[in-house]
């Protein structure tokens, strides 16, 4: 569990540099140049994510329960995950109504993913992981809202509602792949078992 806590802190430290230490980030970019900073940040992001995944897998085998969610929560989780997958797809496409209205659909997807998994998982390790991701996404959303207000970030303008159709179709495909194959293959647990 200690390794999971450390890995969560390292992941958040790397991914919240712009929010909590913007001066440090600017200094690093000035000293090493933007391309080197991007490469270094990418390597650290991948490394901390890999450590987090490994630490979570290890912690799952020794963790206790904080609460026992009712079985019907799995239905809510599966439904919410469909919405999260549509938002995830919308984040990768040009702006339709979904992207325009959610403003930052990737963060919406992360928040829904984390929240829905908190509904269905009461293990200490799961609560730590999904709670941290939910808090991280909320902090990033607040930060991005301030950056938009200051003009530092410009939201993508609306392009066409046809991208909403693509986002929904792609989101359903991603959701189906996760539910019927990937979740069990990668995590070792089928989301359909509890149903």
């Amino acid at each position: 569990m200690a390794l999971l806590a450390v890995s969560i802190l390292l992941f958040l430290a790397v991914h919240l540099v712009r929010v909590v230490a913007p001066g440090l980030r600017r200094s690093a970019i000035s000293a090493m140049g933007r391309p080197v900073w991007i490469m270094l940040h990418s390597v650290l992001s991948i490394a901390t994510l890999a450590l987090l995944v490994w630490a979570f897998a290890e912690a799952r085998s020794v963790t206790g329960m904080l609460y026992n969610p009712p079985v019907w929560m799995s239905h809510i989780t599966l439904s919410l995950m469909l919405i999260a997958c549509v938002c995830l797809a919308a984040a990768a496409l040009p702006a339709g109504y979904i992207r325009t209205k959610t403003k930052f659909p990737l963060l919406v997807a992360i928040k829904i993913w984390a929240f829905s998994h908190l509904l269905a998982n009461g293990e200490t390790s799961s609560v730590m992981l999904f709670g941290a991701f939910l808090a991280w996404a909320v902090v990033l959303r607040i930060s991005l809202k301030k950056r938009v207000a200051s003009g530092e970030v410009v939201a993508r303008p609306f392009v066409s509602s046809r991208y909403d159709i693509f986002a929904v179709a792609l989101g359903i495909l991603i959701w189906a792949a996760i539910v019927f194959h990937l979740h069990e293959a990668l995590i070792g647990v089928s989301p359909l078992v509890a149903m």
Side-chain angles (χ1 to χ4, degrees):
M1 285 296 275
L3 181 61
L4 178 61
V6 169
S7 66
I8 289 170
L9 289 174
L10 289 173
F11 179 86
L12 293 178
V14 169
H15 288 84
L16 288 174
V17 171
R18 183 191 292 266
V19 176
V20 297
L24 174 65
R25 180 180 177 274
R26 284 192 296 269
S27 298
I29 291 172
S30 294
M32 61 181 71
R34 189 168 196 79
V36 175
W37 165 258
I38 290 172
M39 185 179 70
L40 176 63
H41 190 266
S42 298
V43 168
L44 287 173
S45 296
I46 293 167
T48 56
L49 180 60
L51 176 63
L52 181 57
V53 169
W54 181 69
F56 179 67
E58 292 292 313
R60 283 176 61 205
S61 63
V62 297
T63 189
M65 295 294 290
L66 286 179
Y67 54 88
N68 291 300
V71 173
W72 53 266
M73 281 292 190
S74 61
H75 298 280
I76 295 173
T77 298
L78 283 172
S79 300
L80 288 173
M81 283 306 301
L82 179 57
I83 297 168
C85 288
V86 170
C87 290
L88 177 65
L93 295 170
Y97 287 109
I98 296 170
R99 186 180 185 100
T100 305
K101 295 299 181 187
T102 59
K103 295 189 173 97
F104 302 102
L106 179 59
L107 290 179
V108 172
I110 292 170
K111 286 190 279 189
I112 293 171
W113 167 77
F115 175 72
S116 67
H117 280 72
L118 285 170
L119 294 179
N121 297 282
E123 305 89 1
T124 306
S125 56
S126 295
V127 173
M128 285 175 62
L129 178 73
F130 299 122
F133 269 89
L134 180 57
W136 170 60
V138 168
V139 168
L140 279 184
R141 177 64 181 94
I142 292 167
S143 172
L144 281 168
K145 189 174 180 180
K146 290 178 182 177
R147 291 171 62 205
V148 167
S150 70
E152 182 185 346
V153 172
V154 178
R156 285 193 197 175
F158 177 79
V159 177
S160 171
S161 59
R162 72 180 175 186
Y163 292 111
D164 294 319
I165 297 168
F166 296 151
V168 170
L170 182 57
I172 290 170
L173 288 173
I174 293 169
W175 177 85
I178 291 169
V179 168
F180 295 107
H181 179 66
L182 292 176
H183 198 281
E184 186 172 8
L186 298 174
I187 308 299
V189 178
S190 170
L192 301 173
V193 167
M195 299 186 72

